[in-house]
Amino acid sequence: MAKTWFMHKIGLSIHRIHQNDGRGRMMSRFYRYKLPPWARNCLVVCENVTLPLLIFQAIRTIFFPTTFDVLLCGILLGIYLAFYLKWI
């Protein structure tokens, strides 16, 4: 993916965005393509399995609400949002 003019002007990179950690050091964001192929495959599988599990758990939580079901649904929702927002 090529850089746009605006991204080039403000110094953003598609692959790596540097952030200041508050102490003057620069930190780079997580970049999944630097991982070994088996780890990337695990991430892809987890990403593809999360939504069906979340839907199943949400339906189960609606019909049989227990504390464990609500917590599990919240954890799955957090993982799904992390994948969707490209935090992982």
Side-chain angles (χ1 to χ4, degrees), residues 31-78:
Y31 184 53
R32 74 168 54 184
Y33 297 105
K34 289 193 310 187
L35 296 172
W38 62 268
R40 281 184 294 191
N41 288 340
C42 287
L43 275 176
V44 168
V45 168
C46 290
E47 189 173 5
N48 290 333
V49 167
T50 304
L51 184 61
L53 280 177
L54 176 62
I55 292 170
F56 172 78
Q57 188 61 35
I59 293 170
R60 181 186 151 106
T61 303
I62 289 170
F63 289 117
F64 307 111
T66 63
T67 304
F68 176 74
D69 287 328
V70 172
L71 287 175
L72 187 59
C73 192
I75 290 169
L76 286 172
L77 181 63

Side-chain angles (χ1 to χ4, degrees), residues 17-29:
I17 298 175
H18 295 285
Q19 299 170 343
N20 192 338
D21 70 346
R23 298 182 209 162
R25 296 180 299 190
M26 297 300 284
M27 297 174 53
S28 61
R29 285 181 55 191

Side-chain angles (χ1 to χ4, degrees), residues 3-13 17-18:
K3 284 185 180 182
T4 63
W5 175 83
F6 178 73
M7 291 177 71
H8 180 70
K9 254 326 199 195
I10 62 174
L12 286 178
S13 172
I17 298 175
H18 295 285

